[in-house]
Amino acid sequence: MPENTMTRRVARTAAAALTAASLVALAGTATTAQADDKDAHTGAKGTHAGKHPIHVLYLKFVKNKQDHTDSRLYVVRDGSVVKSYRAGSGQGPDAMNECRVMKGWLPSGDYSVKGYERKHNGDIKGYAIALSNATCKDGKTARKDLFIHSEMTRDGGRGGPESQRWDGVKDYNSNGCIKLRPDHIKDMYGWFEKNGWPRTLKVVG
C-alpha cells in the first residue's frame, strides 16, 4: 500500500476515535451538568430556607405571689415576649403551695408540651395543652394531669355546667393547671398556627 494512502487511513481512524471520545466526553459533561443543576436546585431551596431561621419559641408562666389568679402566661420568641395573658393556677389557702396536690399551683421548673387539642373531652374540655408531669420542691410529691386550659364545652362554646362556662375572675382558680380566659387561649392558638407551636414551658416565681 502506498505510504500516502496508509497515512490518510491512519489519519481517518485517529479522527474517528477522537470524535467518539469527544462524544463520550460530551455525554459525560451533560450528565454532570444535569446533576449539578439538580444539586443547584436543592441548594437554592436550602439557601431560601436559610433566609427563614428556626426561632427559639417557648411558653413562660410567671407566678404572682400576691395573687395566684393574676399571674402571667407569656409566649416568648427569640428572647422577646410576643404574647402576654393573665393566667391563674391553684386555689384556696394552699394555692401557692406547689406540693399540695389538686390545690397548689404548678411547681417551678421546665416542662415539655405533650400535645395541643381543640376538642379535649375529659374533665377538661375544648382547647387544652397537655404538659409533662412534675415533682414539687420536696423532691417526692408528684404533680400529674397538668394542662393549660380554660372553661368551655368540647366544641369551644359556653356550656351550662359551671366547669364549662367562664363567669369571671373566680374562674382563674384551678386544681393546679394553668387557666386562661376562653378568648385568650383561642387567640394564642391562632398565633401558634401562623408562627409555630412551642414545645416547652418554663414556670418561674
Side-chain angles (χ1 to χ4, degrees), residues 52-94:
H52 302 281
I54 297 174
H55 293 288
V56 177
L57 184 64
Y58 65 94
L59 294 165
K60 183 177 182 179
F61 181 61
V62 179
K63 297 184 283 189
N64 180 359
K65 294 182 179 179
Q66 303 303 314
D67 183 357
H68 67 279
T69 69
D70 194 16
S71 299
R72 304 299 297 182
L73 180 66
Y74 300 105
V75 180
V76 182
R77 182 172 65 177
D78 299 336
S80 298
V81 172
V82 293
K83 285 285 184 178
S84 174
Y85 305 98
R86 179 175 178 171
S89 183
Q91 62 175 307
D94 290 327

Side-chain angles (χ1 to χ4, degrees), residues 117-195:
E117 293 183 75
R118 285 182 177 79
K119 293 189 176 183
H120 191 76
N121 198 29
D123 293 335
I124 295 165
K125 296 187 182 299
Y127 287 63
I129 302 171
L131 304 173
S132 57
N133 295 336
T135 302
C136 83
K137 60 186 177 183
D138 67 7
K140 59 183 180 180
T141 301
R143 301 298 304 276
K144 301 178 180 180
D145 300 320
L146 304 174
F147 291 85
I148 300 172
H149 67 96
S150 187
E151 290 190 2
M152 60 179 66
T153 64
R154 182 175 183 269
D155 294 323
R158 180 179 170 85
E162 197 287 323
S163 62
Q164 296 178 27
R165 68 174 194 270
W166 190 270
D167 295 319
V169 173
K170 68 182 182 63
D171 286 327
Y172 282 109
N173 284 288
S174 77
N175 292 335
C177 294
I178 296 173
K179 287 179 72 178
L180 301 174
R181 277 171 35 184
D183 58 324
H184 284 175
I185 197 167
K186 290 177 181 180
D187 177 81
M188 187 168 66
Y189 267 63
W191 191 90
F192 292 158
E193 286 177 343
K194 297 177 182 178
N195 298 281

